[in-house]
Amino acid sequence: MPELPEVETVVRDLRPHLQHAVITHVKTSTQSLRRTWRKSWSKKLCQKQIKKVDRRGKWIMIELQPEAGLLVHLGMTGQWTLHEPHDDVASHTHVTLTLHSKKELRFRDVRRFGSFQFYDSYLELQDEVESKLGPEPDHLHGKTFHESLVTRHRPIKSLLLDQKIVAGIGNIYADESLFLASLHPLQLGSSLKITQSQRLADTIQQVIKRAVALRGSTIRDYVGGSGLQGEYQHEFTIYGRQGETCPRCDTLIQVVRVAGRSSHFCPCCQQLQE
DNA sequence: CCGACGTCCTGCTAGC
DNA sequence: TGCTAGCAGGACGTCG
């Protein structure tokens, strides 16, 4: 489940291979992804050079020359890896971009929650992405973050998953951050004290930084752009540990459903406050 | 305007 | 042993 650290890893892995590469051929499967791939996109992509590969939140932004852009989301199970033409094509490969080097950039996505969107203008792509997202965890500012939490009458877990509050957090890193900040997932944003918001901002930054350093978390399908797995799953303190005991106080870890997502927490370290 | 919830999708697994 | 219901969750549309 690619969240910010996983998407960042994919981008870092692919960037040196994609920068300056020219797309010579595009092949797509008949099955549709979250957005349907328009035939015209394939034609427009051909003979374009990749100028830049960037990430914002969980979105991958590709700037092309002559001017155009390709926006990619990995969804739940999206994998984007580079292959030699003779490599076996894995099942659920939906998009293949052939580069002038003959290498193939293949997008595989079992559950097809991933999406592509082509833009004739890169500026338009950037505007679209910015309109969906709040600040990167790196740029979280305690006071502004607190303001965006305290004005919402929603559980903090739901707020962390909201890409407009902070970009790039998903279920894993939300649970890990809340545990380290000693906040119950159902705690209402409106009830937070400034010190709690600041502490949460700090833990989010720590968690994301460490996870990026370890190339993200592999728990099911995720692989980086080089095909390597992540390693952060070995450092999970709370996520996926239902039935085990809290690493801090030995209390049994519990799961509660918040915003339709299973939320792991320690009932002793993360007590619900008024 | 805001928040809650359903929808998409496939593969794995818990439980009968 | 074999079947199936339920779960995994990112973004977005819809509804109250």
Side-chain angles (χ1 to χ4, degrees):
Chain A
M1 15 245 61
E3 301 179 30
L4 189 157
E6 291 77 27
V7 180
E8 178 63 23
T9 303
V10 169
V11 166
R12 286 185 186 179
D13 285 353
L14 292 177
R15 188 179 279 137
H17 297 101
L18 298 189
Q19 223 150 19
H20 312 305
V22 176
I23 298 165
T24 57
H25 188 255
V26 179
K27 188 183 167 188
T28 56
S29 76
T30 49
Q31 286 194 303
S32 66
L33 294 167
R34 195 166 210 288
R35 282 176 217 273
T36 32
W37 181 283
R38 298 201 194 167
K39 280 247 168 71
S40 61
W41 297 354
S42 302
K43 205 172 172 184
K44 286 177 175 180
L45 281 170
C46 280
Q47 301 313 315
K48 285 217 167 34
Q49 184 176 40
I50 296 170
K51 195 172 165 186
K52 217 155 44 85
V53 184
D54 278 322
R55 177 198 60 75
R56 179 78 168 85
K58 300 172 198 170
W59 296 90
I60 299 173
M61 307 155 75
I62 301 175
E63 185 177 3
L64 299 159
Q65 217 169 23
E67 156 111 36
L70 187 64
L71 183 61
V72 185
H73 199 291
L74 300 177
M76 289 288 303
T77 53
Q79 301 176 345
W80 222 18
T81 47
L82 206 61
H83 296 266
E84 297 297 335
H86 53 77
D87 289 348
D88 287 344
V89 177
S91 56
H92 307 288
T93 298
H94 299 291
V95 177
T96 303
L97 303 181
T98 305
L99 308 176
H100 66 296
S101 63
K102 308 287 184 208
K103 286 195 181 194
E104 296 181 359
L105 183 62
R106 298 178 188 167
F107 183 79
R108 173 171 192 256
D109 186 0
V110 173
R111 272 144 82 178
R112 293 191 273 139
F113 277 28
S115 75
F116 285 82
Q117 180 74 46
F118 180 89
Y119 292 85
D120 289 303
S121 149
Y122 189 67
L123 197 66
E124 196 189 319
L125 180 154
Q126 284 179 308
D127 286 349
E128 173 66 25
V129 171
E130 286 310 315
S131 74
K132 300 180 207 267
L133 301 177
E136 290 284 308
D138 279 11
H139 298 147
L140 266 192
H141 181 261
K143 211 177 161 193
T144 345
F145 184 50
H146 178 65
E147 197 57 32
S148 62
L149 299 178
V150 86
T151 50
R152 310 299 167 101
H153 199 73
R154 278 163 63 191
I156 183 64
K157 170 68 183 275
S158 157
L159 291 168
L160 286 190
L161 294 175
D162 186 335
Q163 302 300 297
K164 282 194 172 161
I165 307 274
V166 51
I169 311 282
N171 207 38
I172 293 172
Y173 300 109
D175 281 6
E176 290 296 313
S177 302
L178 288 174
F179 172 71
L180 294 175
S182 304
L183 288 169
H184 192 289
L186 284 170
Q187 184 84 35
L188 289 181
S190 51
S191 75
L192 292 180
K193 311 251 183 318
I194 177 88
T195 49
Q196 294 179 308
S197 302
Q198 272 165 344
R199 184 166 181 202
L200 181 57
D202 287 346
T203 58
I204 288 170
Q205 289 175 347
Q206 283 168 30
V207 164
I208 295 296
K209 194 176 170 190
R210 178 69 182 153
V212 167
L214 291 186
R215 303 177 46 83
S217 310
T218 294
I219 53 174
R220 265 175 284 269
D221 308 86
Y222 166 74
V223 290
S226 61
L228 281 176
Q229 299 199 339
E231 298 298 336
Y232 190 74
Q233 67 278 9
H234 304 304
E235 297 194 9
F236 286 170
T237 52
I238 202 88
Y239 179 84
R241 291 191 173 275
Q242 60 270 39
E244 297 178 41
T245 57
C246 171
R248 250 193 224 145
C249 74
D250 249 20
T251 304
L252 203 60
I253 292 169
Q254 293 188 5
V255 184
V256 65
R257 208 132 178 106
V258 187
R261 304 287 170 257
S262 54
S263 305
H264 312 75
F265 73 105
C266 168
C268 175
C269 298
Q270 297 165 271
Q271 289 186 22
L272 197 51
Q273 292 159 20
E274 288 301 311

